Amino acid sequence: MRREVAVSSPDFGKLYPCVCQLDDMQTQRAQELRRLSNLDTLARYTFESFVPEGHSLNPKARRNLRRAFELAREFATQLQGWLIMVGNYGCGKTHLAAAIANERIARGHSSLFVNVPDLLDHLRATYSPNSPVTYDQRFETIRSTPLLILDDLGTENATSWAKEKLYQILNYRYNAQLPTVITTNHRLEEIDARLLSRMNDQNFCQIYTIQAPDFRGSGLMGQSGLSTLDLHREQTFESFADREDLSAEERQNLRLAMDLAQEYAEQPQGWLLFTGPHGCGKTHLVAAIANYRLVQGYAVLFITVPDLLDHLRATFSPASPVSYDRRFEELRTAPLLVLDDLGTHSATAWAKEKLYQLFNYRHAARLPTVITSSLTLDELEQQDSRLFSRLIDPTRCICSAILAAPYRGQATPGKRRGRRKR
């Protein structure tokens, strides 16, 4: 229908829906939003089903996750501004974002929850001759929806077209002050600068970083996806065996190493270096430290040095899902980093440079680090004097040389060393 207005009116000649059709149009719009959202598969993601205390988290991570839960629930009630949740895969940000959408829908309000790559696919689909809607119709539905929730920003194929569409959508919503939720596992500086400039508006947007580890892990929280600690889950202090095959001096030396590892596990401070021949028990001891901290709910990254370098090299592949900067940042800032088999890597100039950068950062930042090596201190100095200078710093690092010969299965049956009474 057309409104009866003067010819000079900007509404002259424009078509408007009849009032009697508005309810039907709103119903159809809500159904379209729900279809695009695919929320039926996410119906289980509610505030009631979320575990705000996490599983086996340390107190700091537990408080952080509880705050994320409270912010999401407040946003679902007040629906003001933008809420941006940042965190690693599986930390709970998608659950909270979907819970916001499900809560609004339960209250009878329209919401669009969509994964960013899927959103772009929905727009591309309108170019098909068989599309039931035009591009303009789909684009308008997305950018003007009362509540837009974009999951996994940064996982899309960042073509010029994709960047342009996302900018148009978020710029429109920013100018119109429309409630929006965004989740991302990328660092903010990796996001398109045009989008980031809107997200950094502290008067309108709230950015919250979730520090909880992956909920979908093996049941022990706090382990990085790079960590290979699962391969050493049975190497604990309780399973560390007495060895009757050793001399009295070697047994005493091994007990002292065990005591040192236990003390460090209770309160990791500074660096701890175990040296000794292959099979002497040093990997068992550092794995025991890592397993103990993990059970206590603390984050830990256990990795062999050759594997660490392979992970960094893999980021140079065009198909890599993560950037080099992000991978290196994860390694150098890990709350507890356990590096097994230093010295077994290929000592290329590139490898030396990366290890020096890693060691130098953690040395300066005083971050807890545990290291094993089958090389002696003299051999480590010959391989890389820069690393050696950090390892022998008495204000940072405790060095323990294990004298025991390689373990050949001669441990006395039934004799296991438990944790010391403290």
Side-chain angles (χ1 to χ4, degrees):
M1 59 174 291
R2 291 187 175 87
R3 295 175 179 172
E4 293 185 5
V5 294
V7 176
S8 58
S9 171
D11 290 337
F12 180 80
K14 289 186 177 179
L15 293 174
Y16 291 89
C18 176
V19 175
C20 63
Q21 298 296 318
L22 289 178
D23 288 343
D24 287 343
M25 291 177 65
Q26 289 177 353
T27 299
Q28 292 174 4
R29 179 182 174 86
Q31 290 174 346
E32 173 70 0
L33 289 174
R34 189 164 186 86
R35 187 186 67 79
L36 293 176
S37 296
N38 197 28
L39 273 173
D40 289 341
T41 62
L42 302 174
R44 67 188 185 282
Y45 289 165
T46 65
F47 290 120
E48 290 72 25
S49 65
F50 192 78
V51 183
E53 306 303 324
H55 301 292
S56 303
L57 295 179
N58 62 58
K60 181 180 178 181
R62 191 160 54 244
R63 289 193 298 271
N64 170 268
L65 188 60
R66 162 64 69 172
R67 181 55 181 156
F69 172 78
E70 292 170 351
L71 286 174
R73 193 164 54 179
E74 290 170 6
F75 187 90
T77 301
Q78 300 173 359
L79 215 62
Q80 293 180 350
W82 288 13
L83 175 62
I84 298 132
M85 292 183 285
V86 183
N88 291 325
Y89 293 108
C91 70
K93 59 188 183 298
T94 295
H95 187 139
L96 290 174
I100 293 172
N102 284 320
E103 178 72 14
R104 296 302 300 177
I105 290 174
R107 297 185 182 193
H109 302 288
S110 296
S111 300
L112 174 57
F113 175 100
V114 64
N115 181 275
V116 173
D118 288 344
L119 177 147
L120 296 170
D121 281 347
H122 288 315
L123 290 177
R124 293 186 187 98
T126 61
Y127 297 140
S128 168
N130 299 322
S131 174
V133 296
T134 66
Y135 168 84
D136 289 341
Q137 290 172 327
R138 177 63 51 77
F139 188 76
E140 183 63 24
T141 295
I142 292 171
R143 74 171 186 172
S144 62
T145 184
L147 171 61
L148 177 62
I149 301 175
L150 296 179
D151 191 36
D152 274 346
L153 178 66
T155 59
E156 70 279 357
N157 186 10
T159 63
S160 297
W161 180 87
K163 288 181 178 180
E164 188 64 29
K165 297 305 113 180
L166 287 172
Y167 172 72
Q168 286 178 294
I169 291 170
L170 290 176
N171 185 60
Y172 177 90
R173 297 187 67 81
Y174 176 80
N175 292 330
Q177 304 282 281
L178 291 174
T180 306
V181 177
I182 300 170
T183 77
T184 181
N185 55 58
H186 284 247
R187 292 184 299 169
L188 292 180
E189 55 266 32
E190 296 175 345
I191 293 173
D192 188 323
R194 295 181 299 175
L195 303 184
L196 187 58
S197 68
R198 273 71 181 163
M199 294 162 62
N200 276 332
D201 184 346
Q202 298 181 5
N203 295 320
F204 186 61
C205 306
Q206 182 163 11
I207 300 174
Y208 191 79
T209 300
I210 301 177
Q211 299 170 351
D214 195 337
F215 273 79
R216 298 180 292 255
S218 60
L220 293 176
M221 306 302 291
Q223 189 173 178
S224 163
L226 294 179
S227 183
T228 56
L229 188 56
D230 280 347
L231 301 177
H232 303 271
R233 65 170 64 92
E234 295 180 357
Q235 292 180 318
T236 65
F237 291 118
E238 290 73 22
S239 67
F240 196 75
D242 277 329
R243 292 180 56 187
E244 299 293 346
D245 62 305
L246 301 177
S247 68
E249 181 185 4
E250 289 174 328
R251 293 185 70 190
Q252 178 63 18
N253 169 265
L254 198 56
R255 288 192 183 100
L256 290 175
M258 170 77 159
D259 292 342
L260 188 59
Q262 287 181 319
E263 290 174 2
Y264 190 90
E266 294 287 355
Q267 192 172 7
Q269 291 183 349
W271 291 15
L272 179 61
L273 168 66
F274 285 116
T275 62
H278 292 293
C280 70
K282 59 187 184 297
T283 295
H284 190 135
L285 287 177
V286 299
I289 293 172
N291 281 316
Y292 180 77
R293 296 302 295 176
L294 195 63
V295 169
Q296 300 302 311
Y298 293 92
V300 59
L301 200 168
F302 181 104
I303 190 170
T304 67
V305 173
D307 286 346
L308 178 154
L309 295 169
D310 280 347
H311 281 299
L312 291 179
R313 293 186 188 99
T315 62
F316 297 130
S317 167
S320 174
V322 296
S323 67
Y324 167 83
D325 289 342
R326 185 179 175 197
R327 182 66 80 213
F328 190 73
E329 185 71 9
E330 180 181 2
L331 288 162
R332 74 174 187 168
T333 61
L336 173 60
L337 179 63
V338 182
L339 296 176
D340 194 28
D341 276 344
L342 176 66
T344 60
H345 56 282
S346 177
T348 63
W350 180 86
K352 288 183 177 181
E353 186 64 28
K354 297 306 112 181
L355 287 175
Y356 172 71
Q357 288 177 295
L358 177 64
F359 276 57
N360 190 58
Y361 179 91
R362 296 188 68 83
H363 180 270
R366 297 175 177 266
L367 290 173
T369 307
V370 181
I371 305 160
T372 76
S373 178
S374 60
L375 301 182
T376 65
L377 289 178
D378 287 342
E379 290 170 331
L380 285 171
E381 181 179 18
Q382 292 174 11
Q383 187 178 81
D384 195 323
S385 60
R386 295 183 300 175
L387 298 189
F388 178 75
S389 68
R390 270 66 181 169
L391 292 172
I392 63 168
D393 181 352
T395 66
R396 296 284 198 283
C397 188
I398 298 174
C399 301
S400 176
I402 298 178
L403 305 176
Y407 176 67
R408 302 299 182 191
Q410 299 95 334
T412 302
K415 287 193 175 182
R416 300 286 182 180
R417 288 178 53 80
R419 292 196 54 75
R420 293 189 307 169
K421 302 290 186 182
R422 295 187 63 85

